[in-house]
Amino acid sequence: MVKEMRSVVNPFSPPKHNNVIIKFAVSFLLVGLAFHLLISDSFRFSSVVETPVPANEETEPESLVASLPAEEPVSNDFAANESQTSQPGKCDLFVGDWIPDPSGPFYTNQSCLQIEGHQNCMKNGRPDSGYLHWRWNPRDCSLPRFNPKKFLRLMRNKSWAFIGDSISRNHVQSLLCTLSQVEQAVEVYHDEEYRSRIWRFPSHNFTLSVIWTPFLIKADIFEDMNGVSSSEIQLHLDKLDKKWTDQYRNLDYAIIAGGKWFLKTAIYHENNVVTGCHYCHGKNLTELGFDYAYRKALQLIFNFITNSGHKALAFFRTATPDHFENGEWFSGGTCNRKVPFKEDKVKMTDVDTIMHNIELEEFEKATALGPEKGGALKLLDTTRLSLLRPDGHPGPYRQFQPFAEDKNAKVQNDCLHWCLPGPIDSWNDLVMEMVVNGGIYQ
């Protein structure tokens, strides 16, 4: 400041015969200038203090539903959702912990009729119930429980599809069971094997469907309902499955997922020519690996969505790890754990890590420039949070009362799909939060 004053004053030095008057005038000017600078600095300081606290600081959270129209009173369980809040600013919903939840699930096997037999763990005789009393809790923000009444109100006159394999079917049943506590859905279509189905919620004119397409790309599959294969899968890496693409323009929302089926033996086709395979011993074909095919498929899928010209909101759900121990599903593998894993007590398998990395890489590429000619594409990353729940699978209770006749019976375990109710219900919490407040989340 002193140097700045000298540079301004010195070029205008006064004559010596007016020293006293001039000195007094200069002193007066200096005092006035100092006072002006002091006031100016105080204003600048005030503006810094009043700047809003950054998102990673503690702030008073605002209600998620504050800006939504009021709705009629609901039961205590649903009203609890209204009081929960979200932290302002960016938050990664998929980094967190499973914490005890004494309130338990929205539904039971008695209050929901949509549960498939293989996931109906309570009816099938699973003796423990601790797996029902956990909820997903992101570390940097609050996650309200799913509110079925509000969800149906938001989905009035809308259409939503779950597109993928049997985990997608597992997920749609979870959502159906939760929504059925408000309104019963009416099934209006199913295919011959009940893999693809459509339901309607009449009073909300809401259509919910599941489209079974395990690869999402064109595939010739030679398996029965029990997974027994009579020939190798023929997979066309440059063609999407029209089963879902032909219906995509009729959807307002979609959750799209794949993954596990790419681990199966398959012959790969591109431009109508066989280019290689995965795990096809004795075929004299180039082993390209499942990762090659999965990456090609995701590129095709994401390109279709972002350039479709259809303004839907599409979620890409990442693949779900399984929890087979001491073998695989076909070789005596089991899953008998009763509580979630701690974060530092489990690691993903190499295969799951490769698959997840491909998903994240291709999703990032597809969304780097934003939607150009299509709707929004969001990531529903359930991989890590699912990895922490080895206790949530049917295990031997994929069958009805498997130990009724012999408590030591050797039965096939299911350590991939989820009990209903179970951990998969928390996926609905994530989906609803991303629909209602998705703009502030990663």
Side-chain angles (χ1 to χ4, degrees):
M1 183 184 296
V2 174
K3 290 182 178 179
E4 183 178 325
M5 290 299 172
R6 286 176 180 170
S7 66
V8 172
V9 174
N10 286 347
F12 301 96
S13 297
K16 292 183 180 179
H17 60 274
N18 285 329
N19 273 349
V20 175
I21 296 174
I22 296 303
K23 285 181 180 179
F24 177 80
V26 170
S27 298
F28 182 82
L29 286 171
L30 288 173
V31 170
L33 184 58
F35 181 77
H36 172 75
L37 291 174
L38 178 61
I39 295 299
S40 175
D41 284 347
S42 70
F43 284 132
R44 284 198 296 269
F45 179 72
S46 176
S47 70
V48 173
V49 170
E50 294 174 4
T51 299
V53 179
N56 60 353
E57 299 281 337
E58 287 293 326
T59 60
E60 185 67 23
E62 299 176 358
S63 173
L64 273 178
V65 298
S67 61
L68 295 175
E71 60 185 276
E72 62 271 24
V74 293
S75 69
N76 288 338
D77 283 343
F78 301 154
N81 300 321
E82 304 294 338
S83 65
Q84 294 200 39
T85 55
S86 287
Q87 195 83 342
K90 282 285 186 180
C91 167
D92 190 339
L93 289 171
F94 313 118
V95 175
D97 306 280
W98 290 94
I99 63 174
D101 180 20
S103 63
F106 278 111
Y107 62 92
T108 68
N109 64 312
Q110 294 180 328
S111 66
C112 179
L113 304 178
Q114 305 291 348
I115 304 174
E116 283 191 7
H118 289 327
Q119 282 89 55
N120 202 335
C121 301
M122 287 190 274
K123 181 179 179 180
N124 290 345
R126 180 168 174 170
D128 62 307
S129 61
Y131 68 97
L132 299 173
H133 296 281
W134 298 87
R135 67 178 177 86
W136 179 248
N137 183 49
R139 289 180 191 163
D140 298 324
C141 55
S142 170
L143 177 63
R145 289 191 76 192
F146 184 86
N147 186 324
K149 177 165 281 193
K150 187 197 301 183
F151 183 85
L152 282 172
R153 178 166 57 80
L154 292 171
M155 293 299 115
R156 188 177 297 279
N157 302 319
K158 303 294 184 182
S159 178
W160 192 310
F162 289 73
I163 302 170
D165 56 20
S166 56
I167 300 295
S168 294
R169 195 162 68 244
N170 200 178
H171 191 185
V172 79
Q173 290 167 28
S174 166
L175 182 59
L176 277 168
C177 284
T178 303
L179 296 178
S180 70
Q181 307 311 297
V182 175
E183 180 183 4
Q184 288 292 334
V186 178
E187 185 176 44
V188 295
Y189 168 81
H190 63 78
D191 63 7
E192 185 176 350
E193 297 175 327
Y194 285 81
R195 283 175 160 171
S196 294
R197 303 170 73 176
I198 302 174
W199 299 266
R200 287 209 175 93
F201 292 82
S203 66
H204 293 84
N205 193 30
F206 171 48
T207 302
L208 183 63
S209 60
V210 59
I211 302 171
W212 190 76
T213 168
F215 290 101
L216 301 168
I217 58 177
K218 183 180 177 181
D220 302 317
I221 301 172
F222 307 94
E223 284 190 6
D224 62 20
M225 290 293 289
N226 296 315
V228 178
S229 179
S230 59
S231 184
E232 297 87 358
I233 295 167
Q234 305 294 315
L235 203 54
H236 302 266
L237 303 184
D238 53 356
K239 298 176 183 178
L240 291 170
D241 187 351
K242 290 187 176 182
K243 191 185 296 183
W244 72 273
T245 57
D246 285 351
Q247 299 185 52
Y248 186 72
R249 289 183 177 276
N250 299 322
L251 302 175
D252 297 292
Y253 299 90
I255 297 180
I256 300 169
K260 289 295 186 182
W261 276 69
F262 283 86
L263 302 179
K264 294 175 177 281
T265 296
I267 309 298
Y268 297 155
H269 300 251
E270 295 178 72
N271 296 317
N272 297 317
V273 175
V274 173
T275 56
C277 69
H278 171 59
Y279 204 67
C280 58
H281 303 303
K283 289 290 184 181
N284 195 29
L285 293 173
T286 302
E287 172 63 40
L288 295 175
F290 77 90
D291 51 328
Y292 173 83
Y294 194 41
R295 190 179 294 277
K296 284 267 189 180
L298 291 183
Q299 290 170 351
L300 203 60
I301 293 160
F302 292 154
N303 182 64
F304 171 80
I305 293 171
T306 55
N307 292 281
S308 64
H310 179 53
K311 302 297 182 181
L313 173 55
F315 296 88
F316 174 72
R317 179 182 57 74
T318 56
T320 305
D322 63 60
H323 292 97
F324 287 99
E325 297 184 65
N326 304 311
E328 296 297 328
W329 68 272
F330 54 84
S331 59
T334 59
C335 43
N336 298 320
R337 296 182 184 270
K338 300 295 188 290
V339 295
F341 281 130
K342 295 294 185 183
E343 180 75 27
D344 59 347
K345 299 298 182 182
V346 62
K347 292 183 179 180
M348 281 199 291
T349 64
D350 291 343
V351 167
D352 286 334
T353 299
I354 292 170
M355 190 165 286
H356 193 228
N357 287 341
I358 291 172
E359 292 169 336
L360 297 183
E361 290 166 8
E362 294 306 323
F363 181 87
E364 184 176 356
K365 292 177 187 176
T367 57
L369 300 177
E372 295 182 4
K373 301 177 183 178
L377 178 61
K378 291 184 177 292
L379 184 69
L380 182 60
D381 190 352
T382 57
T383 300
R384 190 70 192 174
L385 63 91
S386 300
L387 179 67
L388 301 178
R389 292 306 306 271
D391 57 317
H393 302 292
Y397 298 99
R398 66 185 297 273
Q399 304 172 39
F400 182 71
Q401 300 292 340
F403 304 113
E405 297 182 5
D406 181 1
K407 65 179 182 179
N408 296 315
K410 300 293 184 182
V411 297
Q412 188 180 71
N413 278 232
D414 182 354
C415 305
L416 174 62
H417 299 92
W418 302 97
C419 288
L420 294 174
I424 197 171
D425 296 325
S426 285
W427 297 5
N428 299 326
D429 299 346
L430 296 166
V431 169
M432 183 166 182
E433 186 67 357
M434 294 174 74
V435 168
V436 172
N437 214 7
I440 68 169
Y441 295 110
Q442 292 179 347

